[in-house]
Amino acid sequence: IAPTLNIDVDPLFLHSAISNLIQNAIKYSRVGSKIQIRAEVVGENVLIEVEDECGGLAPNAEIDLFKPFVQQNTNRQGLGLGLNIARRAIELHRGTLSARSLPERGCVFTITLPKAGTK
């Protein structure tokens, strides 16, 4: 991640969102798999991605993924609030949090935030 990427956010909110995504990636990825974290500038936004090797989501699972108390895996540790809280933290900073499945491979969670100085 380039040190020149600038966003204007509350560091605790951003840390909370990213750490939730990383914890989920660790929790749901297969033993010995790889988790990637990357960031880049795309136009007026900074994209932060966490990619895991969880095996992918069931078809249309993205629809309910960010709803509170939803758990789509057999591992039921936790309350099912983490992704909802992470999304709300990002939305408070005029950003978005989305997920896409890489079928039979994993998932990519993308935080999109405006670059510092953009309105």
Side-chain angles (χ1 to χ4, degrees):
I1 298 174
T4 56
L5 296 180
N6 282 324
I7 49 179
D8 187 17
V9 297
D10 181 302
L12 292 176
F13 281 173
L14 182 61
H15 179 269
S16 174
I18 293 173
S19 66
N20 178 273
L21 298 178
I22 294 169
Q23 288 171 17
N24 281 352
I26 292 168
K27 180 178 175 180
Y28 296 114
S29 289
R30 297 173 285 237
V31 174
S33 61
K34 180 172 50 172
I35 296 167
Q36 297 181 55
I37 304 163
R38 55 188 171 262
E40 65 179 325
V41 174
V42 176
E44 294 297 314
N45 295 308
V46 171
L47 273 56
I48 303 169
E49 293 185 325
V50 177
E51 182 176 334
D52 63 37
E53 293 183 359
C54 67
L57 298 171
N60 300 316
E62 293 95 336
I63 295 168
D64 294 327
L65 195 60
F66 294 97
K67 290 182 180 176
F69 305 109
V70 170
Q71 295 179 318
Q72 297 185 1
N73 195 291
T74 57
N75 183 339
R76 301 284 188 207
Q77 294 177 337
L79 298 173
L81 292 173
L83 288 176
N84 180 266
I85 292 169
R87 179 178 258 184
R88 293 178 62 102
I90 297 303
E91 288 173 344
L92 287 172
H93 294 87
R94 298 181 298 121
T96 60
L97 172 57
S98 60
R100 76 178 186 276
S101 181
L102 306 172
E104 298 187 26
R105 191 170 126 218
C107 297
V108 178
F109 288 84
T110 304
I111 295 171
T112 304
L113 291 163
K115 289 191 312 187
T118 58
K119 293 186 179 201

